[in-house]
């Protein structure tokens, strides 16, 4: 028995089977759901007859629900003032070294209640959902002490009771050095490893552990302490790696079998090959490249040559990527990084799901969650082509209209 079927649509299954290309296009297709999962997908003429409710999509395109796999969606305040300073000549790195940047968001986030964090995040989340996002990852990292990191993660987890969306959370306590540890970075990294990671794991409020391993972040050695703690707590790891300089982040992520390494503007070819061998996904964040005017782009040619899966995400955060649009990131991944449309769309669906360790979504395949996005477009390339236009007209989560 099928519960519901969607017909009169072209499908981007993102499932390259039966000689289809990477987008797995089925023209005049149909999708059917049972108990929140996809029970049937194929050409409409082959659809078995059933008593299911039929939804006519009027010729729209249907994709798996989009996955935004790297966001800092929960935070207090904004950093528009720093943006003005940067326009007057200051750099992102300079502002960070003066105690602004991430730490200015930390000051405001520490003062915010859980409810205030939720209320602040909801409009940003709504912008993502309006484009067809059905799964979103949210990081902590603006608390830098156990109570605030935990409050951020609980606020992120609570978003799925306010909206119809799957939320995955990552503990990013190793994001910056808090003011009370100024000059004692290693001591703070030890606190993260010895106290914050175990406590958050005990509370079961994080799905993964992330760290910022970079020239203005933590060293490779400090990152190891945090990753070893994650391993002891049986939590998978992810890494902000090689964004501002090559500190061996890609290699380190691969060594720990990370779900993903993210940014990677300065990653070495050897690091990318190690990631491919480890199955770690490269998460590309063109909004950050653009917003901080980073001249160097990730080495996409080396990623292709190595066979690393590429995802694309917003990195939505107040400092380096204040965007609310995943589709705009798909556009920028194509224009700035020269991804193909197929790569960009895989990057916000199947490969983004892989970056979160989720095998049950990101494609239209039997057995996967029935999370769908409906788009009023005439060809898939339009999803990457428009800048600042939202062609999404419907969203389905676990088989129900959302
Ligand atoms: N890399 C980023 O892009 C964000 N964090 C990080 O480690 C930036 C966060 C911020 O500037 O608030
Ligand atoms: Fe980030």
């Amino acid at each position: 028995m099928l519960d519901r079927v969607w017909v009169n649509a072209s499908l981007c299954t993102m499932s390259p089977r039966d000689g289809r290309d990477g987008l797995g296009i089925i023209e005049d297709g149909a999708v059917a759901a049972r108990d929140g999962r996809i029970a049937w997908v194929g050409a409409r003429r082959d659809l078995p007859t059933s008593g299911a409710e039929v939804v006519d999509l009027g010729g729209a395109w249907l994709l798996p629900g989009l996955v935004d796999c790297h966001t800092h969606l929960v935070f207090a305040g904004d950093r528009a003032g720093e943006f003005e300073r940067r326009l007057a000549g200051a750099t992102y790195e300079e502002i960070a070294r003066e105690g602004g940047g991430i730490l200015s968001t930390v000051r405001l986030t520490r003062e915010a209640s859980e409810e205030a964090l939720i209320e602040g995040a909801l409009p940003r989340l709504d912008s993502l959902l309006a484009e067809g996002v059905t799964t979103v990852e949210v990081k902590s990292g603006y608390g830098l002490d156990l109570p605030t990191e935990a409050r951020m993660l609980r606020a992120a987890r609570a978003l799925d009771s306010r909206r119809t969306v799957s939320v995955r959370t990552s503990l990013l306590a190793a994001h910056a050095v808090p003011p009370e540890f100024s000059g004692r970075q290693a001591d703070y990294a030890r606190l993260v490893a010895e106290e914050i990671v175990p406590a958050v794991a005990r509370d079961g409020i994080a799905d993964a552990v992330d760290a910022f391993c970079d020239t203005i972040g933590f060293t490779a050695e400090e990152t190891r302490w945090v990753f070893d703690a994650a391993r002891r707590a049986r939590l998978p790891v992810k890494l902000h790696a090689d964004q501002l300089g090559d500190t061996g982040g890609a290699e380190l992520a691969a060594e720990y079998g990370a779900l993903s390494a993210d940014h990677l503007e300065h990653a070495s070819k050897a690091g990318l090959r190690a990631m491919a061998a480890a199955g770690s996904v490269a998460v590309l964040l063109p909004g950050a490249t653009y917003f901080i005017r980073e001249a160097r782009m990730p080495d996409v040619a080396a990623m292709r040559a190595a066979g690393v899966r590429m995802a694309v995400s917003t990195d939505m955060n107040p400092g380096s990527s204040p965007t609310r649009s995943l589709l705009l990131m798909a556009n920028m991944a194509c224009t700035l990084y020269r991804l193909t449309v197929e790569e960009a769309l895989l990057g916000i669906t199947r490969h983004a799901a892989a970056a979160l360790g989720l095998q049950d979504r990101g494609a239209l395949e039997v057995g996967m969650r029935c999370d769908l996005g409906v788009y009023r477009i005439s060809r898939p390339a339009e999803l990457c082509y428009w800048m600042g236009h939202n062609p999404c007209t419907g969203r389905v989560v676990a088989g129900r209209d959302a």
Side-chain angles (χ1 to χ4, degrees):
M1 262 304 282
L2 302 174
D3 298 335
R4 211 168 179 208
V5 301
W6 290 264
V7 299
N8 197 11
S10 301
L11 314 181
C12 267
T13 63
M14 310 315 293
S15 181
R17 286 196 190 156
D18 311 329
R20 296 179 214 136
D21 70 358
L23 298 176
I25 290 174
I26 302 176
E27 272 157 30
D28 198 9
V31 174
R34 184 172 50 228
D35 298 332
R37 304 224 159 230
I38 295 173
W40 193 91
V41 54
R44 180 190 195 172
R45 62 174 180 276
D46 300 329
L47 180 69
T49 47
S50 76
E53 177 197 352
V54 177
V55 182
D56 187 323
L57 292 174
W61 281 77
L62 201 55
L63 271 81
L66 306 185
V67 177
D68 193 352
C69 67
H70 178 142
T71 85
H72 308 249
L73 181 60
V74 169
F75 60 83
D78 69 76
R79 305 235 291 276
E82 285 180 8
F83 176 57
E84 287 189 283
R85 278 197 57 204
R86 286 204 295 113
L87 292 176
T91 68
Y92 181 75
E93 244 175 300
E94 268 163 28
I95 293 171
R97 290 192 194 280
E98 288 164 10
I102 293 173
L103 291 185
S104 64
T105 303
V106 170
R107 282 189 285 278
L108 295 171
T109 303
R110 284 181 171 181
E111 287 165 13
S113 67
E114 185 176 323
E115 185 57 30
L117 291 174
I118 294 169
E119 290 296 323
L122 282 173
R124 297 189 279 268
L125 177 62
D126 285 339
S127 303
L128 296 178
L129 303 190
E131 290 187 338
V133 169
T134 53
T135 299
V136 64
E137 185 256 19
V138 182
K139 300 175 194 298
S140 65
Y142 293 119
L144 311 182
D145 59 29
L146 176 58
T148 318
E149 289 290 305
R151 193 159 72 249
M152 285 186 75
L153 293 168
R154 280 194 296 267
R157 284 270 170 107
L159 295 172
D160 70 1
S161 61
R162 310 288 176 101
R163 297 292 186 271
T164 312
V165 62
S166 299
V167 176
R168 306 293 287 183
T169 53
S170 303
L171 171 68
L172 179 59
H175 190 196
V177 181
E180 61 276 17
F181 278 84
S182 179
R184 295 187 296 131
Q185 174 163 317
D187 289 346
Y188 177 64
R190 270 188 212 98
L191 176 84
V192 173
E194 288 162 19
E195 290 178 29
I196 301 183
V197 170
V200 162
R202 253 192 319 273
D203 285 356
I205 51 177
D207 300 301
V209 172
D210 195 345
F212 183 35
C213 179
D214 218 308
T215 49
I216 60 165
F218 292 85
T219 64
E221 192 194 356
E222 290 157 352
T223 303
R224 278 176 192 282
W225 303 338
V226 175
F227 278 8
D228 287 334
R231 215 175 237 177
R232 287 192 292 274
R234 299 185 195 290
L235 284 172
V237 297
K238 310 173 71 66
L239 190 63
H240 282 71
D242 306 328
Q243 178 187 7
L244 305 168
D246 180 8
T247 57
E251 285 89 339
L252 186 67
E255 185 188 326
Y256 280 82
L259 292 173
S260 70
D262 307 33
H263 286 292
L264 300 170
E265 279 88 334
H266 294 263
S268 69
K269 287 188 169 49
L272 298 174
R273 282 194 296 271
M275 282 177 60
S280 302
V281 176
V283 178
L284 305 180
L285 306 168
T289 303
Y290 164 79
F291 196 70
I292 64 175
R293 296 171 60 88
E294 167 68 57
R296 181 143 160 179
M297 307 285 154
D299 191 346
V300 166
M303 290 178 191
R304 287 188 189 117
V308 190
R309 288 172 294 174
M310 295 181 282
V312 174
S313 171
T314 58
D315 193 16
M316 179 192 283
N317 76 68
S320 68
S321 190
T323 178
R324 298 176 176 219
S325 171
L326 185 57
L327 292 179
L328 181 60
M329 297 306 104
N331 169 274
M332 287 189 181
C334 297
T335 51
L336 291 178
Y337 297 168
R338 314 306 292 166
L339 260 62
T340 64
V341 165
E342 182 181 314
E343 286 169 333
L345 293 181
L346 279 167
I348 57 176
T349 55
R350 178 184 277 270
H351 293 169
L356 298 176
L358 299 172
Q359 266 104 49
D360 65 346
R361 66 196 74 188
L364 303 180
E365 286 176 10
V366 170
M368 287 203 177
R369 276 174 62 97
C370 188
D371 291 349
L372 312 171
V374 182
Y375 297 91
R376 188 61 53 188
I377 49 175
S378 49
R379 70 186 85 238
E382 276 192 74
L383 293 171
C384 302
Y385 160 76
W386 296 105
M387 297 191 290
H389 164 61
N390 179 13
C392 180
T393 57
R395 216 168 58 94
V396 171
V397 173
R400 293 173 185 275
D401 289 333

